[in-house]
């Protein structure tokens, strides 16, 4: 099974994955798709990729499994600290100021492509620390990987995964348990983990902040534009978008404004 995918097979699976999720496979990452399919054929005891293709086309659950298996879930707590500094020192103060006149005391955040949950828990720790009363927050955390969502929902992380968490947060929000750490109920109650495919509109509205970091790189230009347009519709008139530090909306026909703060660059929706 050294050469599992013929060129025709590769085009077939690449197209269905793109149509279902917007994720793009090219020759440079063809080996990832090839290895994931080999593994799944062994697990399902199937003789050919054609059999597996028929399976995914007839089973939504298996299609979800395929999409889960081809995504890369690389993350960590407080990844790219300058963006969290911008959230603390720029975004939150500006949101609080804007909400005063509206008598709105809730900050609504979406961690899109949250992987195993380190990002939304990082945001929650920060907000628990800096939000003045009477302000509260709510975080929706979504991913296309059900396996990753289950890790986030459990709130349990091996000792090797808690690197980067400041001691003050580790002591306050985690409990040592067996070979790892359990996130406190205080944080877990504020985060709703949910399956979502970014190709489609989330249906959520009036979001104040969206984090979608290191996800757009897996999409082509058309799919990126679809995702960004959905975000615009999902967000409140005064809101902020964080994407990966190596990602950019430059050259894209979008209504978001580029925003350079003292800590990090991000994007703003500002509708008067």
């Amino acid at each position: 099974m050294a050469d599992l995918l013929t060129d025709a097979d590769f085009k077939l699976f690449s197209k269905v994955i793109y149509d279902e999720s917007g994720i793009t496979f090219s020759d440079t990452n063809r080996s990832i798709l090839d290895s994931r399919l080999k593994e799944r054929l062994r697990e399902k005891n199937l003789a050919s990729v054609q059999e597996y293709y028929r399976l995914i086309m007839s089973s939504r659950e298996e299609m979800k499994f395929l999409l889960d298996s081809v995504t890369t879930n690389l993350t960590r707590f407080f990844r790219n600290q300058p963006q969290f500094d911008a959230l603390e020192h720029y975004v939150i103060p500006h949101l609080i100021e804007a909400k005063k006149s509206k008598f709105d005391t809730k900050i609504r955040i979406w961690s899109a492509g949250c992987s195993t949950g380190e990002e939304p828990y990082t945001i929650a720790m920060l907000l628990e620390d800096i939000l003045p009363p009477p302000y509260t927050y709510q975080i929706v955390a979504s991913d296309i990987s059900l396996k990753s969502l289950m890790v986030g929902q459990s709130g349990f992380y091996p000792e090797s995964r808690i690197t980067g968490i400041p001691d003050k947060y580790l002591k306050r929000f985690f409990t040592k348990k067996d070979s790892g750490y359990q996130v406190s109920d205080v944080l877990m109650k504020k985060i709703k983990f949910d399956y979502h495919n970014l190709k489609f509109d989330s249906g959520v509205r009036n979001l104040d902040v969206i984090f979608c970091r290191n996800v757009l790189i897996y999409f082509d230009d058309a799919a990126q534009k679809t995702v960004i347009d959905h975000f615009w519709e999902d967000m409140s008139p005064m809101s902020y978008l964080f994407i990966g530090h190596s990602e950019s909306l430059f050259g894209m026909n979008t209504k978001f404004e580029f925003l350079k703060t003292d800590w990090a660059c991000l994007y703003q929706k500002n509708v008067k």
Side-chain angles (χ1 to χ4, degrees), residues 150-170:
M150 287 174 66
V151 174
Q153 204 163 33
S154 75
F156 179 78
Y157 296 91
E159 197 154 353
S160 60
R161 297 283 291 277
I162 55 95
T163 306
I165 302 175
D167 285 343
K168 65 173 183 176
Y169 289 149
L170 190 61

Side-chain angles (χ1 to χ4, degrees), residues 19 21 41 53 70 87 173-174 177 180 184 187 233 259 264 271:
D19 290 345
S21 68
L41 258 61
Y53 183 80
V70 298
L87 178 68
F173 298 117
F174 290 81
K177 180 181 175 184
S184 71
L187 300 188
E233 296 301 321
L259 179 61
V271 179

Side-chain angles (χ1 to χ4, degrees), residues 42 47 58 83 89 95 115 119 126 143 165 171 179 200 233 239-240:
R42 284 195 297 270
S58 62
Q83 291 190 320
H89 299 295
L95 283 175
S115 187
E119 179 179 272
L126 187 62
D143 204 273
I165 302 175
K171 291 173 183 174
S179 58
F200 304 104
E233 296 301 321
S239 49
Y240 300 88

Side-chain angles (χ1 to χ4, degrees), residues 51-239:
E51 284 184 67
Y52 187 65
Y53 183 80
R54 288 192 290 271
L55 176 60
I56 62 172
M57 297 307 288
S58 62
S59 167
R60 293 303 305 172
E61 288 305 309
E62 189 60 34
M63 180 68 80
K64 284 184 178 181
F65 191 96
L66 172 65
L67 298 179
D68 185 335
S69 70
V70 298
T71 55
T72 304
N73 299 299
L74 176 65
T75 186
R76 65 178 183 273
F77 289 100
F78 289 91
R79 186 181 188 185
N80 194 353
Q81 180 67 47
Q83 291 190 320
F84 294 109
D85 292 339
L87 178 68
E88 176 180 358
H89 299 295
Y90 186 94
V91 171
I92 295 303
H94 279 76
L95 283 175
I96 288 175
E97 189 62 33
K99 285 175 176 287
K100 282 180 181 176
S101 61
K102 300 175 183 176
F103 303 101
D104 179 8
T105 58
K106 179 171 281 189
I107 292 175
R108 301 165 183 85
I109 298 177
W110 180 14
S111 171
C114 70
S115 187
T116 44
E118 284 89 338
E119 179 179 272
Y121 284 126
T122 298
I123 297 168
M125 282 187 273
L126 187 62
L127 294 184
E128 286 287 333
D129 198 28
I130 68 172
L131 266 189
Y135 291 92
T136 60
Y137 66 94
Q138 181 179 23
I139 300 173
V140 175
S142 72
D143 204 273
I144 201 170
S145 169
L146 290 168
K147 186 166 52 179
S148 295
L149 287 170
M150 287 174 66
V151 174
Q153 204 163 33
S154 75
F156 179 78
Y157 296 91
E159 197 154 353
S160 60
R161 297 283 291 277
I162 55 95
T163 306
I165 302 175
D167 285 343
K168 65 173 183 176
Y169 289 149
L170 190 61
K171 291 173 183 174
R172 183 176 170 189
F173 298 117
F174 290 81
T175 302
K176 186 77 172 72
K177 180 181 175 184
D178 301 326
S179 58
Y181 287 80
Q182 179 65 46
V183 177
S184 71
D185 287 343
V186 172
L187 300 188
M188 295 183 72
K189 288 176 182 176
K190 299 288 182 67
I191 302 172
K192 178 186 177 185
F193 286 93
D194 195 14
Y195 177 87
H196 180 66
N197 186 332
L198 286 175
K199 183 176 180 179
F200 304 104
D201 183 13
S202 68
V204 180
R205 294 294 182 266
N206 294 316
L207 291 161
D208 298 303
V209 182
I210 292 180
F211 276 77
C212 184
R213 304 189 300 166
N214 308 304
V215 176
L216 295 177
I217 53 175
Y218 297 103
F219 299 153
D220 67 3
D221 291 347
Q224 286 183 9
K225 178 74 164 56
T226 297
V227 172
I228 295 301
D229 286 347
H230 284 325
F231 286 165
W232 179 270
E233 296 301 321
D234 296 338
M235 297 173 77
S236 65
M238 172 74 169
S239 49

